[in-house]
Amino acid sequence: DIRMTQSPSSLSASVGDRVTITCQASQDISNSLSWYQQKPGKAPKLLIYDASNSETGVPARFSGSGSGTDFTFTISSLQPEDFATYYCQHYDNLRSFVTFGGGTKVEIK
Amino acid sequence: EVQLVQSGAEVKKPGESLKISCKGSGYIFRTYWIGWVRQMPGKGLEWMGIIYPGDSDTRYSPSFQGQVTISADKSINTAYVQWSSLKASDTAMYYCARAGRSGEVATIFDYWGQGTLVTVSS
């Protein structure tokens, strides 16, 4: 099974900071990776798909990059509404399997 | 507008059975896979499995195979997950989500239900 290791598990940052979260796959997954934002008490929201493509309506400060085993999610300038938990997700259509990373909680410093 | 509306919160005792639902609207329900995701209290997201309402083809995560049953009724645009004998460890929020690429079984989830909280306690 492919394992997704997300880091850090939590971080503290200030409004305006640049925030970077990484997700590492245990084997090559090409670009089959997405990123979600989840706020307390709410369902996750898709932000990035296929490693680097932004979902419609997602602010430009959110971006993703990477391929193979190493992926990065970046918030270029953290806004008050961005404090949330972020998850990476690998999807394997060939094996009909989905797996999520452990999540990164972004808190206010 | 695409919407997934889930059934309400449930409080059950260990050993009881339960079936929760997810009703889709605003798109051709039978042509998109619907997945289920568990989130235990204070924990991360876990993919349980997924169903294609068009023909009820179902795939399960190995962690959930045999623990739950996923089904769908395309005539009423509704997907379900059910338990035959609940355990305290089934206490969690359960989300349904639409697989965002028509016909693709394992892909992004572009629309999510609001979640159904299941509490199992004696």
Side-chain angles (χ1 to χ4, degrees), chain A residues 36 38 42 50 89 93 96, chain B residues 39 59 95 101 105-106 109:
Chain A
Y36 296 83
Q38 186 180 32
K42 299 293 187 182
D50 295 345
Q89 176 213 3
N93 199 47
S96 302
Chain B
Q39 187 166 41
R59 317 289 171 85
Y95 293 101
R101 292 167 174 152
V105 56
F109 290 127

Side-chain angles (χ1 to χ4, degrees), chain A residues 65-103:
Chain A
S65 63
S67 66
T69 61
D70 295 303
F71 301 86
T72 300
F73 173 77
T74 301
I75 307 173
S76 60
S77 178
L78 195 66
Q79 298 302 300
E81 61 268 29
D82 300 338
F83 291 96
T85 301
Y86 295 85
Y87 294 92
C88 63
Q89 176 213 3
H90 165 54
Y91 35 95
D92 185 338
N93 199 47
L94 189 64
R95 296 177 180 81
S96 302
F97 197 79
V98 167
T99 186
F100 289 95

Side-chain angles (χ1 to χ4, degrees), chain B residues 9 22 24 36 40 48 53 73 99-100 109 115:
Chain B
C22 169
W36 287 94
M40 299 177 76
M48 300 170 63
D73 184 341
F109 290 127

Side-chain angles (χ1 to χ4, degrees), chain B residues 33-44:
Chain B
W33 292 78
I34 290 283
W36 287 94
V37 175
R38 182 176 79 176
Q39 187 166 41
M40 299 177 76
K43 302 298 184 182

Side-chain angles (χ1 to χ4, degrees), chain B residues 10 12 16-20 81-86 118:
Chain B
E10 302 274 3
K12 292 289 190 179
E16 292 186 330
S17 63
L18 176 65
K19 191 174 188 178
I20 63 174
V81 63
Q82 67 182 85
W83 295 259
S84 58
S85 181
L86 287 159
V118 174

Side-chain angles (χ1 to χ4, degrees), chain B residues 24-120:
Chain B
S25 62
Y27 71 101
I28 303 174
F29 183 77
R30 66 181 183 275
T31 63
Y32 287 79
W33 292 78
I34 290 283
W36 287 94
V37 175
R38 182 176 79 176
Q39 187 166 41
M40 299 177 76
K43 302 298 184 182
L45 306 173
E46 300 173 90
W47 181 74
M48 300 170 63
I50 197 162
I51 187 164
Y52 189 72
D55 61 7
S56 291
D57 186 3
T58 307
R59 317 289 171 85
Y60 291 94
S61 162
S63 299
F64 289 89
Q65 180 84 48
Q67 308 304 307
V68 298
T69 301
I70 292 171
S71 61
D73 184 341
K74 63 183 178 183
S75 69
I76 55 171
N77 290 358
T78 302
Y80 305 94
V81 63
Q82 67 182 85
W83 295 259
S84 58
S85 181
L86 287 159
K87 302 185 282 288
S89 58
D90 292 318
T91 294
M93 181 70 82
Y94 292 89
Y95 293 101
C96 65
R98 189 184 81 160
R101 292 167 174 152
S102 180
E104 284 196 9
V105 56
T107 182
I108 58 176
F109 290 127
D110 60 351
Y111 289 92
W112 293 67
Q114 83 276 20
T116 296
L117 180 62
V118 174
T119 303
V120 183

